[in-house]
Amino acid sequence: MTAEGNDESSEEPGFTFSDKRRVDPNTGEVRPEADAQSASAEAGEEPTADPNAEQADASDLGVDIPSDASGLEDIEPEAEPEPGSEAAGYLADLKRINAEYAAYRMRADRERERAALGGTIKVVEALIPVLDEVKLARDNGDVTGPFETHVNKLVESLNKLGVEQYGEVGDEFDPNIHEALMQQPSDEVENPTLFLVMQPGYRIGERIIRAARVGVQQPED
């Protein structure tokens, strides 16, 4: 092996530096660059930053930043993993877990709504005897004064919960929501019609809490 080869193999990486002294040590004169920076400082201007400094720092970290920032918008997302690969298996598991979680949340929401509806129905069922007494008092004209105010507040509270009272004289009879306790023929009606409401019905939406108990007039034919 030659001496030249040894010199090349043992050569250490060099380094460079820039002389930023204001006065040239060789000539003793003030450098023009220093005068320009001093004038800018006196005028209140900030020194101009090196546009390549930030990119050089990022390059030292191994990050490749394009000079044109708009090029970042053109970067395409990573492609889907190849079928059968380990990454594809992880992705399939993640999708399955997400689907199971979405289904669980839907079931939980339905169960919560069903539980809330069941609680409301139990409360209304417990209040039905009181509501029947209130209806009788209203029909007899006994709901007056402060008592009427409390009754109205009770009815408004039930309405806010979606509870509806139904069953009026003249309504067409519907066996799905009415309970006929008595019937009589009549030539004044063409369809089965309520002529008496003994106890009103209560429902929440399509859910019947108690069917209205009524008397029905049937056409004579």
Side-chain angles (χ1 to χ4, degrees):
M1 181 179 294
T2 63
E4 182 178 358
N6 292 333
D7 292 341
E8 292 177 357
S9 62
S10 62
E11 183 179 356
E12 297 180 356
F15 62 92
T16 59
F17 67 93
S18 59
D19 189 356
K20 297 183 179 180
R21 287 177 292 183
R22 183 177 182 185
V23 179
D24 191 335
N26 297 325
T27 63
E29 297 179 356
V30 179
R31 292 174 174 170
E33 296 84 356
D35 288 340
Q37 294 179 358
S38 177
S40 300
E42 293 177 358
E45 298 179 358
E46 296 183 357
T48 305
D50 185 1
N52 297 325
E54 185 176 354
Q55 185 171 358
D57 294 340
S59 299
D60 294 340
L61 297 176
V63 180
D64 186 12
I65 300 178
S67 58
D68 185 6
S70 62
L72 296 175
E73 299 177 357
D74 300 332
I75 298 178
E76 297 181 358
E78 296 183 1
E80 291 285 336
E82 296 181 0
S85 64
E86 185 176 4
Y90 290 148
L91 181 59
D93 291 341
L94 180 60
K95 291 181 178 179
R96 176 179 53 79
I97 293 173
N98 286 339
E100 291 178 354
Y101 179 68
Y104 162 76
R105 289 199 58 180
M106 293 178 62
R107 291 195 302 269
D109 291 341
R110 287 195 299 266
E111 289 296 331
R112 184 165 54 251
E113 293 176 358
R114 188 178 297 111
L117 178 61
T120 303
I121 290 175
K122 287 183 178 180
V123 172
V124 175
E125 288 176 344
L127 290 175
I128 282 178
V130 178
L131 297 175
D132 288 340
E133 294 294 334
V134 168
K135 183 180 182 304
L136 290 175
R138 274 182 166 176
D139 294 341
N140 294 327
D142 296 333
V143 180
T144 58
F147 183 55
E148 183 179 8
T149 301
H150 296 309
V151 168
N152 292 336
K153 288 183 179 180
L154 174 61
V155 174
E156 290 175 1
S157 299
L158 293 175
N159 291 336
K160 290 180 181 179
L161 295 175
V163 179
E164 178 187 1
Q165 183 187 81
Y166 70 93
E168 298 291 341
V169 174
D171 291 348
E172 185 174 349
F173 174 73
D174 184 351
N176 295 316
I177 61 175
H178 298 132
E179 181 181 356
L181 299 183
M182 59 183 302
Q183 298 185 29
Q184 67 181 25
S186 174
D187 57 357
E188 297 180 356
V189 297
E190 297 180 356
N191 298 305
T193 305
L194 308 186
F195 76 94
L196 177 64
V197 178
M198 305 170 199
Q199 292 178 332
Y202 297 93
R203 61 188 173 190
I204 299 179
E206 300 297 328
R207 179 74 175 269
I208 302 299
I209 301 176
R210 186 187 72 178
R213 296 170 178 174
V214 298
V216 182
Q217 286 183 335
Q218 296 282 1
E220 288 187 346
D221 56 355

